[in-house]
Amino acid sequence: MTLDYISSPQAHDRKTGYAQCVAVTGAARTVYVSGQIPVRADGSVPETFAEQARQAWANVQAQLAAAGLGLEHLVRHTTYLADRADRAENSRIRREVLGSHEPALTVIIAGIFDEAWLLEIEAVAAA
């Protein structure tokens, strides 16, 4: 599988740790991960945004692992934030988790299903 990162010179490119466009060639399998919430396997919810963000990413990673994939297979993800004030910390933690891997990304400020949850992350991976 090959990932081709594309950025049109005719559109704004902020260079902020994610791809503007990702083309996937030679993938035999695409995996769609439903929105992963910041809830631990025991049902508890971390208190801080940072803990919740890391837990939601751990849940994404766990779902990918169950499908035989890893975070390096992500081609796109959407993060739903309950509060715009968390956007900088969200970006920092995303970069911490993904390292140099930069899949396509959308961040949406939205009401989350449970008010205790500060974010939710859905993802698409290919292999």
Side-chain angles (χ1 to χ4, degrees), residues 33 37 41 56-57 60 68 74 81 90-91 94-95 100 115 121:
V33 180
I37 56 177
W57 275 112
V60 168
L74 284 180
L81 296 178
N90 176 65
S91 179
R94 181 188 78 244
R95 291 178 190 182
S100 63
E115 290 180 4
I121 302 169

Side-chain angles (χ1 to χ4, degrees), residues 22-126:
V22 179
V24 180
T25 305
R29 186 169 182 220
T30 304
V31 174
Y32 299 87
V33 180
S34 290
Q36 296 299 297
I37 56 177
V39 178
R40 298 178 183 113
D42 67 5
S44 64
V45 177
E47 290 186 29
T48 69
F49 179 83
E51 292 170 323
Q52 285 198 20
R54 287 186 183 93
Q55 184 61 55
W57 275 112
N59 293 343
V60 168
Q61 191 169 14
Q63 297 303 334
L64 290 172
L69 302 176
L71 292 172
E72 70 276 11
H73 295 102
L74 284 180
V75 294
R76 175 178 176 43
H77 62 92
T78 302
T79 300
Y80 300 88
L81 296 178
D83 189 337
R84 183 179 315 275
D86 293 321
R87 67 186 187 271
E89 190 166 21
N90 176 65
S91 179
R92 181 182 60 76
I93 292 168
R94 181 188 78 244
R95 291 178 190 182
E96 171 188 305
V97 170
L98 297 180
S100 63
H101 184 54
E102 298 180 346
L105 159 71
T106 299
V107 177
I108 299 171
I109 310 302
I112 308 293
F113 183 79
D114 186 316
E115 290 180 4
W117 306 340
L118 302 177
L119 77 162
E120 184 171 342
I121 302 169
E122 65 182 15
V124 178

